[in-house]
Amino acid sequence: MRILYVEDEKLLADAVTHLLKKSNINVDWAEDGEEGLRLAKKPVYDAIVLDIMLPKMSGLEILETIRRQGIKTPVIMLSALSEVEDKVRGLDIGADDYLAKPFKTKELIARLNALVRRPTLRESKIVKFEDLEFDIENRTVNNVALTEKEAEILEMLINSGEKTVQKDYILAHVWGADMIAEDNYVEVYMSYLRKKLKTIGSKVAIKTVRGLGYKLVIK
Ligand code: CA
């Protein structure tokens, strides 16, 4: 795997790069937004790890520019926990995942693997819901790859049919009690899933039931 890592904090970048390389991930490092954008246009990366706050050009601007140009390299955004709006905006304009700073490099590697993983040749186990074909084993929906958490959430939604799945239930089951999960994690993952359903062109949508949770509806 070869990734582009855009990060202006040199000490952090060095430490993370060192650990990624130990996991056999090749890293090209860009330390400002302009250099990041220049490199991001190259079709050689399996994924881009993109900090939001950068000199010269922000991570969001880079993301917006490459997506507008039709570049589909998977992007993981990095942002401070306080920058919820940036995260949501990043997801809106085409980021595939985000990681809050500070993060563990192990977690970044897991996300990268989930994002870049090609469907394996395991026997598929397909669950259908309207026009969706969800392959539990290979974690794809209509052949679009899902991350582990996206797949867990989609499985819950599909299993519940048109009944509402409570947000607390999702939080507890996907993140577990030992995780300092924030309420907005669920919302953020719903936006990932909505984006994927949109990519597929499915007539199934995820509806927010205010104050309760989420359910699948037919548009
Ligand atoms: Ca930064």
Side-chain angles (χ1 to χ4, degrees):
M1 191 192 310
R2 182 174 176 190
I3 68 151
L4 170 63
Y5 180 26
V6 190
E7 169 62 75
D8 58 313
E9 291 165 58
K10 189 172 187 312
L11 287 178
L12 175 64
D14 281 350
V16 171
T17 300
H18 177 71
L19 291 171
L20 291 176
K21 283 184 174 161
K22 273 169 84 177
S23 295
N24 292 318
I25 297 173
N26 293 313
V27 183
D28 287 354
W29 174 53
E31 64 176 322
D32 67 54
E34 278 175 14
E35 176 71 355
L37 177 61
R38 191 181 70 77
L39 291 175
K41 290 179 180 175
K42 295 186 172 193
V44 295
Y45 299 109
D46 296 300
I48 300 169
V49 177
L50 192 56
D51 188 30
I52 289 184
M53 301 286 282
L54 294 165
K56 296 186 185 173
M57 180 183 263
S58 81
L60 290 174
E61 284 174 275
I62 294 175
L63 178 62
E64 203 163 21
T65 306
I66 62 171
R67 288 294 185 255
R68 209 168 44 221
Q69 294 179 3
I71 296 164
K72 296 192 172 77
T73 311
V75 169
I76 299 181
M77 285 192 318
L78 303 176
S79 70
L81 264 177
S82 56
E83 297 163 340
V84 174
E85 278 177 26
D86 285 343
K87 280 178 219 164
V88 172
R89 178 154 156 66
L91 295 169
D92 278 350
I93 59 179
D96 299 83
D97 203 350
Y98 84 87
L99 205 49
K101 283 175 154 184
F103 57 88
K104 292 203 170 79
T105 306
K106 216 171 80 181
E107 176 67 16
L108 176 61
I109 293 169
R111 302 284 186 97
L112 284 168
N113 283 330
L115 212 54
V116 173
R117 190 191 332 250
R118 303 281 173 259
T120 54
L121 291 174
R122 283 184 293 173
E123 197 184 333
S124 51
K125 189 175 164 196
I126 308 277
V127 176
K128 291 185 182 178
F129 183 87
E130 293 296 327
D131 59 358
L132 296 181
E133 291 197 356
F134 174 44
D135 183 333
I136 296 176
E137 287 297 320
N138 293 311
R139 291 215 303 252
T140 60
V141 60
N142 297 23
N143 295 319
V144 170
L146 298 171
T147 64
E148 191 181 339
K149 287 187 167 54
E150 288 169 355
E152 283 177 46
I153 294 171
L154 185 62
E155 194 175 350
M156 277 182 208
L157 289 171
I158 288 179
N159 285 340
S160 303
E162 288 176 27
K163 277 188 299 198
T164 301
V165 185
Q166 298 210 1
K167 192 171 166 182
D168 290 347
Y169 179 88
I170 298 171
L171 204 54
H173 282 77
V174 176
W175 280 272
D178 57 346
M179 171 84 196
I180 324 155
E182 295 182 15
D183 261 18
N184 66 42
Y185 285 13
V186 179
E187 277 154 42
V188 169
Y189 273 82
M190 287 302 164
S191 77
Y192 295 157
L193 276 173
R194 284 185 173 122
K195 191 158 65 75
K196 290 192 174 168
L197 294 181
K198 203 170 155 193
T199 306
I200 294 164
S202 173
K203 59 181 179 180
V204 178
I206 298 169
K207 185 175 185 236
T208 303
V209 184
R210 212 152 281 287
L212 259 185
Y214 303 88
K215 67 176 180 182
L216 296 180
V217 292
I218 314 301
K219 280 190 271 190

